[in-house]
Amino acid sequence: MANCDYTLATNIAEDCSNPMVNGLKSIGYIGNFDDLDKSGSTRTGNKITTLALKDDAKLVKVYQAGKTPFNGTNSALVVGDYKNKFTKTVNFVIFENGAAATENIVDKLANGKFFFVLENNYQGVSGDGAFEVVGYENGASAAEITNAKYDDNVGGAWVCSMTEESAPTSGVFMLATGGVEATRTALEALC
């Protein structure tokens, strides 16, 4: 019987020539968790180089207006008796309301299981921190969906919070061979 090795594999330091910045870009992607083709995807450790979807499946773009897109999105450690895991949360706003929006977006989000690809403002030294994938391991489900008619911040839009619970890793990132631009191209091709 083997014991897991949890020793550090790299130095903990700040890259002074490439300081970390917070925040996310305004365009993200969402897909149905069941549409992920993990056997066709290429993942090594916490890095995905090829993201594959099942036949006829597509990603959908999520556009977030304003200065703080996906505000409140985070990952948090959950301490367990035998093993620690992570809860990853993606917050976003649906700037639409009506029969089509509620039927085709809000109602689906309320009961489905999804994954997100979000682009960080901080790309990392080699670009491997650019695209974070939330929901790849266990899927993300609705934690809260509200429509506050008099919320001046969102103008009566739907505010959504989706969580992936009990994720074994703190972060999964996507970087296609060819770098950040190649990753954007690959994501657009899946839309």
Side-chain angles (χ1 to χ4, degrees):
M1 178 168 29
N3 288 329
C4 295
D5 182 9
Y6 292 111
T7 58
L8 290 174
T10 189
N11 292 324
I12 300 171
E14 179 182 4
D15 182 356
C16 297
S17 63
N18 187 22
M20 197 165 180
V21 293
N22 65 345
L24 293 157
K25 304 254 187 230
S26 61
I27 295 178
Y29 304 87
I30 184 174
N32 293 307
F33 181 72
D34 289 340
D35 288 340
L36 271 172
D37 180 1
K38 290 188 179 182
S39 64
S41 299
T42 305
R43 178 182 174 186
T44 304
N46 290 14
K47 184 178 173 183
I48 298 169
T49 52
T50 304
L51 182 68
L53 300 177
K54 294 177 182 170
D55 291 340
D56 299 325
K58 297 206 178 297
L59 294 178
V60 175
K61 289 183 186 180
V62 181
Y63 172 72
Q64 296 295 277
K67 297 177 186 177
T68 55
F70 301 98
N71 190 19
T73 295
N74 68 78
S75 297
L77 177 71
V78 178
V79 177
D81 289 337
Y82 300 101
K83 187 164 184 165
N84 297 333
K85 298 201 176 181
F86 292 86
T87 295
K88 302 172 190 179
T89 303
V90 175
N91 292 335
F92 60 101
V93 179
I94 301 168
F95 294 101
E96 183 58 65
N97 193 23
T102 56
E103 179 180 353
N104 297 316
I105 301 171
V106 178
D107 294 350
K108 306 294 190 236
L109 291 171
N111 295 294
K113 204 171 183 183
F114 305 91
F115 70 96
F116 293 84
V117 182
L118 304 175
E119 186 174 357
N120 289 306
N121 286 334
Y122 177 72
Q123 308 279 296
V125 176
S126 62
D128 72 344
F131 295 93
E132 193 159 356
V133 185
V134 176
Y136 184 85
E137 294 165 309
N138 290 329
S141 300
E144 183 177 353
I145 300 176
T146 58
N147 179 249
K149 299 296 184 188
Y150 293 99
D151 183 343
D152 290 336
N153 286 326
V154 295
W158 288 93
V159 178
C160 301
S161 183
M162 309 287 287
T163 60
E164 176 183 26
E165 297 178 335
S166 298
T169 65
S170 56
V172 176
F173 294 83
M174 180 180 174
L175 185 65
T177 303
V180 172
E181 285 304 320
T183 308
R184 275 194 203 101
T185 301
L187 289 167
E188 288 293 323
L190 291 173
C191 289

